[in-house]
Amino acid sequence: MDKLHHKKYRLLGLNIAYYRRQHGLSQMKLAEKIGISRTHMSRIETADCAVSLDVIFSICDVLKISPEKLFSFRQ
């Protein structure tokens, strides 16, 4: 992950965690639903790794939200 975009990845991770909690899902449950490990889910939410669009789209499908919501950064 490029350090230039780390803040955006952090904000994306915070949004994912917010909407996940709104749906009453643990990291483990969301990870199971999209076919990744809980560790990978945790790393995405804490901006410890980059995330593919395929994973973003899968998260959006499970959470029934548009990708725009995940990329709407409140600062």
Side-chain angles (χ1 to χ4, degrees):
M1 170 188 341
D2 190 335
K3 283 189 173 194
L4 176 66
H5 299 295
H6 187 264
K7 183 176 180 181
K8 292 173 189 162
Y9 276 100
R10 188 176 58 78
L11 294 171
L12 175 65
L14 289 171
N15 281 348
I16 292 170
Y18 172 81
Y19 288 108
R20 174 181 57 75
R21 289 184 192 112
Q22 288 289 309
H23 283 77
L25 295 173
S26 66
Q27 285 182 343
M28 185 67 170
K29 280 293 181 193
L30 180 55
E32 286 174 1
K33 288 178 179 279
I34 64 170
I36 64 173
S37 70
R38 191 222 41 96
T39 303
H40 189 188
M41 187 77 252
S42 174
R43 292 184 70 218
I44 291 168
E45 288 187 3
T46 60
D48 193 36
C49 70
V51 58
S52 72
L53 284 176
D54 288 338
V55 171
I56 292 292
F57 294 150
S58 293
I59 290 170
C60 290
D61 290 346
V62 169
L63 299 179
K64 296 179 176 63
I65 60 172
S66 67
E68 291 85 6
K69 287 199 175 223
L70 292 183
F71 289 99
S72 176
F73 302 144
R74 304 175 248 345
Q75 300 197 32

